[in-house]
Amino acid sequence: MDRIDAMKVFVTALDEGSLAGAGRKLGRSPAAVSRALAFLEAHVGAELIHRTTRSLRLSEAGERYAAACRRVLTELEEADLVVHGEKSAPRGTLTVTAPVAAGEDILRPVLDDFIDAFPSVGVKLYLMDRPINLIEEGMDVALRIAHLADSSLVAVKVGEVRRVIAASPRYLAERQPIETPSDLASHRIIAMTHFGLDSWSFPPPPGASVPLTVQFKPRLVVNSVRAAVASACEGRGVTRLFSYHVAQPVREGALDIVLRNAEHAPLPVHLVTPYGRLSVPKVRAFVDFAAERLRGFFAQAGAIAS
């Protein structure tokens, strides 16, 4: 059996979540899929997948081998595309990842339009609020809101966002003014998992070199941007989110931003892709298509939140 072909079966089974799903995707019988996996396991001398009637679970060896298979298959695809060059039309399946809120509210509409514009390209969108290795997890493109440190990635900047403190006008009218970060200690805090559960940091005060940290005991902790925004709009407390999260309620008058003079420097937003992937027509087409639209979105959201 061809090892590369067996690797494709293995990765497809993981992506589809079952042997039957891999069979349907590849047009093969369940027996043929099982033979391919058995061939790989015999080749590496270890069990790669723990099989149950309802799901697949990678073994420890399987996790490492899956990452290697994805790298090999990606490099083979890129090698084929180098031969075809720019004459190749965008086609195949594009895998994209983004933070949950950004993916749902920002990237998903762009992908809908992209699919309409490029009917030969399908898309898999993975929404995850955790850092991932694009190569090991088989991703073509990621939307990232952070300062980038990985030099193996090619980045296209599409905007920037601020970390803002917001509350409803009704809440602010009924409580002590929030004029300095220290005032937050006496307020009801709606904490988001990724923005600090029991403290928020701010730039150093004038004449200091150490960032200011405000400790608090949150009244509500959520791991959903929409939940934090909704509770803040209902006057339940003060929350900290990215500026684009609150742009619409700010425009509608449901939220006000406070402590504008105590914000950290904005964070850049990039589309990132593994080195060499921009030579793949479907990836290049998406980055070119999405970058302009995303720049428009972040510029407009930033202007509203300002």
Side-chain angles (χ1 to χ4, degrees), residues 84-106:
H84 291 295
E86 295 182 356
K87 295 180 180 179
S88 296
R91 57 182 173 79
T93 300
L94 180 78
T95 56
V96 184
T97 183
V100 175
E104 290 178 343
D105 297 336
I106 303 171

Side-chain angles (χ1 to χ4, degrees), residues 109-143:
V110 174
L111 286 168
D112 286 345
D113 292 341
F114 177 74
I115 291 171
D116 290 341
F118 295 89
S120 296
V121 180
V123 174
K124 289 184 178 180
L125 175 60
Y126 296 91
L127 304 180
M128 294 174 282
D129 285 328
R130 64 172 177 84
I132 67 168
N133 185 304
L134 271 63
I135 296 175
E136 291 184 358
E137 300 198 37
M139 300 295 169
D140 292 311
V141 185
L143 180 69

Side-chain angles (χ1 to χ4, degrees), residues 14-81:
L14 298 180
D15 291 342
E16 297 298 316
S18 68
L19 302 187
R24 289 191 295 270
K25 181 75 172 181
L26 299 172
R28 305 188 188 190
S29 68
V33 173
S34 295
R35 283 196 300 271
L37 295 179
F39 168 80
L40 280 183
E41 290 177 330
H43 176 77
V44 301
E47 185 180 32
L48 300 175
I49 295 179
H50 302 306
R51 303 163 179 79
T52 69
T53 56
R54 294 185 178 182
S55 64
L56 303 177
R57 183 168 59 87
L58 282 171
S59 66
E60 185 177 341
E63 290 181 0
R64 295 192 299 269
Y65 195 67
C69 286
R70 293 188 190 278
R71 286 196 298 272
V72 169
L73 295 175
T74 296
E75 289 172 0
L76 285 173
E77 181 184 3
E78 290 175 358
D80 290 341
L81 290 165

Side-chain angles (χ1 to χ4, degrees), residues 196-211:
L197 294 178
D198 55 13
S199 67
W200 289 338
S201 69
F202 296 87
S209 59
V210 178

Side-chain angles (χ1 to χ4, degrees), residues 243-268:
S243 49
Y244 75 87
H245 291 149
V246 301
Q248 181 173 342
V250 166
R251 181 178 59 218
E252 296 171 349
L255 289 178
D256 285 339
I257 294 175
V258 298
L259 298 178
R260 294 175 185 270
N261 294 330
E263 293 177 0
H264 287 288
L267 288 172

